[in-house]
Amino acid sequence: MIRTAYAVIHLKSIRHNVQQVRLAAPHSKIMAVIKANAYGHGLLRVAQALNDSVDGFAVARVQEGIRLRKAGFQHRIVVLEGFTKTEEVQNLLHYDLEASIHSPHQIEILRHQQEKKRLGIWIKLDTGMNRLGFKARDVRNVCEQLNTFSVVKKPFNFMTHFANADDKNDLKTSQQIELFNILTADFDGEKSMANSAGILAWKDSLTDWVRAGIMLYGISPFSDSTGKDLGLRPLMSLHSRLISVRDVAAGETVGYSGTWTSPVSTKLGVVAIGYGDGYPRYAESGTPVLVNGERVPLVGRVSMDMITVDLGINSNAKAGDGVILWGDNLPVEEIALCSNTIPYTLVCGITPRVEIVESKNIDPIF
Ligand SMILES: *Cc1c(COP(=O)(O)O)cnc(C)c1O
């Protein structure tokens, strides 16, 4: 079978990116955040590639943790959203997964556990995100209760999550760090604050564990830089090909609603990629696309299966030629900016129609 739309996962790059995390946080253990199918790159594939180079894994849901255990991974695995039901606690215990504890509802569930096994927990403190976690005034009370529960492994651990760490000038992050340090000072147990932005920009946030997500995939957590600028290597590239090349005259419109009008006569290329593959529907006219390695602009609306690009009147491109939507020489960060989104959503949003290929399985022509 010939591939149409496919994503190449350059697994070697992830080892390099882990090294960059180690350099930035030399005294911390690394929890690799591989939730949401490893940000679209494939849960087990990425876990395997990271196997002996990280200290633990973090996922969002219990089910994701179970998949890792069933595949044989023996690392510590933290479930960042914790649990909401007793059955989930039983699964966490059975599969030796650790849970974030962020709400009174969870404390009530733990209060009634009769299990002999011990659950590793991370108490989530809300230091300013206002999403999950306990407020400063509740910390002492929460810890006192959890201390009396035999199902809870002691000492328990603490974490918090930053709201604005991608803005290097926002003092909110310093305040979150300070509050977390004050609230946890009297407790043993491990502590964790930093996501990728924290690892790279907020050295005070580097504690026992860092939680590296987006930077492992070679993508910058900041809107003013690319992964490459930060010494990272992108893990994913997205590919397809031209399925048609045609002439249009000056003044003709292209695509649904005719949102783009050609100012001159030119050649248009039609690329087999669309929002049905996870290419962003809101990519604006002008978003760069690589056709045979040359940058050309997307023109008109993105449709489900296709986009159109302005190849220029002198182009020699023809149907069947290779196209890169993002990758080594076309940062996904740039495509995100052109689509009014963040690169996280683009890599997470690749749909099952897109074939995933590991780079060791393809010719090195990319
Ligand atoms: C997703 C997530 C991370 C990783 O964030 P990145 O910005 O991808 O590094 C860290 N901690 C928590 C709680 C998360 O939900």
Side-chain angles (χ1 to χ4, degrees):
M1 269 289 280
I2 293 175
R3 296 184 179 109
T4 309
Y6 61 100
V8 180
I9 308 297
H10 304 264
L11 282 175
K12 269 195 195 146
S13 301
I14 206 165
R15 309 205 132 241
H16 168 85
N17 297 336
V18 173
Q19 281 315 112
Q20 298 304 109
V21 179
R22 287 251 178 250
L23 284 174
H27 308 297
S28 304
K29 290 184 182 162
I30 300 176
M31 204 184 282
V33 182
I34 52 176
K35 61 195 181 190
N37 200 27
Y39 293 44
H41 297 71
L43 177 72
L44 299 183
R45 168 186 302 118
V46 167
Q48 190 57 52
L50 290 170
N51 192 24
D52 51 4
S53 57
V54 297
D55 306 289
F57 292 124
V59 291
R61 313 266 164 85
V62 178
Q63 225 48 45
E64 296 172 316
I66 294 175
R67 262 189 84 199
L68 287 171
R69 278 288 180 256
K70 284 190 169 165
F73 292 99
Q74 300 187 349
H75 305 65
R76 286 177 66 180
I77 300 173
V78 179
V79 177
L80 295 169
E81 288 181 355
F83 55 86
T84 45
K85 305 220 181 264
T86 292
E87 300 76 61
E88 287 181 302
V89 176
Q90 280 150 8
N91 273 311
L92 290 163
L93 287 165
H94 182 74
Y95 289 100
D96 191 21
L97 306 171
E98 301 176 26
S100 134
I101 303 292
H102 51 72
S103 74
H105 175 72
Q106 293 177 307
I107 296 180
E108 290 319 306
I109 289 176
L110 289 179
R111 192 188 304 284
H112 298 106
Q113 288 296 315
Q114 311 288 343
E115 296 270 354
K116 285 196 194 60
K117 291 195 179 120
R118 302 271 174 273
L119 180 67
I121 64 166
W122 293 76
I123 300 177
K124 188 151 191 176
L125 302 183
D126 177 11
T127 54
M129 179 78 153
N130 277 317
R131 196 177 57 179
L132 293 181
F134 297 101
K135 288 286 196 193
R137 60 174 178 272
D138 299 323
V139 172
R140 205 145 280 282
N141 179 263
V142 163
C143 293
E144 276 168 19
Q145 293 190 66
L146 289 170
N147 239 332
T148 66
F149 297 171
S150 59
V151 71
V152 170
K153 197 181 280 177
K154 319 289 184 328
F156 35 72
N157 309 305
F158 292 88
M159 68 165 141
T160 196
H161 195 43
F162 296 134
N164 298 8
D166 56 329
D167 181 346
K168 292 165 218 164
N169 301 313
D170 192 328
L171 290 180
K172 175 157 188 155
T173 305
S174 307
Q175 290 161 2
Q176 287 194 264
I177 294 170
E178 199 185 335
L179 181 58
F180 183 80
N181 285 335
I182 291 169
L183 293 175
T184 60
D186 292 342
F187 293 96
D188 303 330
E190 295 168 309
K191 289 150 197 172
S192 175
M193 284 190 263
N195 54 2
S196 296
I199 292 166
L200 293 165
W202 300 91
K203 295 299 164 196
D204 290 350
S205 73
L206 307 178
T207 48
D208 301 316
W209 286 84
V210 293
R211 305 188 304 273
I214 198 77
M215 69 181 290
L216 289 178
Y217 308 98
I219 298 170
S220 171
F222 310 113
S223 59
D224 62 355
S225 63
T226 65
K228 226 173 200 177
D229 296 337
L230 302 168
L232 303 169
R233 296 185 189 153
L235 211 59
M236 180 193 288
S237 51
L238 180 63
H239 305 249
S240 190
R241 54 190 148 98
L242 285 175
I243 54 172
S244 168
V245 174
R246 56 182 298 135
D247 298 318
V248 287
E252 290 194 87
T253 64
V254 173
Y256 287 122
S257 307
T259 58
W260 184 81
T261 307
S262 185
V264 292
S265 41
T266 187
K267 284 185 184 170
L268 278 189
V270 182
V271 184
I273 199 91
Y275 61 80
D277 302 287
Y279 191 83
R281 164 75 172 67
Y282 296 106
E284 291 170 359
S285 285
T287 301
V289 173
L290 290 180
V291 175
N292 295 328
E294 300 274 341
R295 273 183 185 234
V296 294
L298 178 150
V299 295
R301 287 239 169 110
V302 171
S303 35
M304 188 183 292
D305 310 304
M306 287 171 259
I307 60 171
T308 41
V309 295
D310 182 1
L311 294 168
I313 193 73
N314 297 318
S315 174
N316 296 318
K318 57 190 186 311
D321 286 358
V323 173
I324 295 179
L325 289 313
W326 60 73
D328 225 7
N329 294 314
L330 186 55
V332 67
E333 292 90 336
E334 196 175 335
I335 308 305
L337 284 178
C338 295
S339 314
N340 193 23
T341 186
I342 53 173
Y344 296 69
T345 69
L346 299 186
V347 287
C348 275
I350 293 294
T351 68
R353 177 163 75 177
V354 177
E355 191 184 350
I356 304 284
V357 197
E358 291 177 17
S359 57
K360 63 178 186 301
N361 295 333
I362 54 162
D363 299 332
I365 54 168
F366 308 96

